[in-house]
Amino acid sequence: MAGGGSFSSDQQTAHATADGQLVSRPCRVTSIQAKGHANGSVILYDNTSAAGTSHTFLFGTEGLSVEIPGDGIRFKTACFLDLTHTTGVTITFN
């Protein structure tokens, strides 16, 4: 099966370098990666703004690389990003 032509996936990625909406619909985040910097943080809100239910990830110069087991983190509304001391965040979602 050269080239993976017969494989399918419902996973998508989103990348951001500033606060804002990552995904504009309900989704499940299955991984998060962020470039390392001292006192870095990534906060993901289940909302279209920085309010409501949130999930906070703290890290340092080593960066952030999290694979979320099972079905991932469910966002019922949308996924909004608030980042501090990092130049970029990438999530995988479905």
Side-chain angles (χ1 to χ4, degrees):
M1 294 185 203
S6 64
F7 299 104
S8 65
S9 175
D10 62 353
Q11 296 291 296
Q12 297 177 307
T13 59
H15 179 78
T17 57
D19 296 357
Q21 196 164 324
L22 277 172
V23 182
S24 61
R25 61 173 175 77
C27 67
R28 290 186 177 271
V29 172
T30 55
S31 75
I32 307 164
Q33 297 177 335
K35 184 172 172 81
H37 191 284
N39 301 312
S41 71
V42 170
I43 304 173
L44 300 176
Y45 291 91
D46 185 358
N47 207 334
T48 57
S49 64
T53 302
S54 65
H55 306 277
T56 302
F57 302 87
L58 305 174
F59 55 96
T61 57
E62 73 281 1
L64 178 68
S65 181
V66 177
E67 298 291 326
I68 301 161
D71 291 331
I73 301 172
R74 182 178 177 204
F75 291 80
K76 295 178 183 179
T77 304
C79 182
F80 187 89
L81 168 69
D82 181 354
L83 57 88
T84 303
H85 296 294
T86 183
T87 57
V89 174
T90 301
I91 65 166
T92 304
F93 67 96
N94 61 14

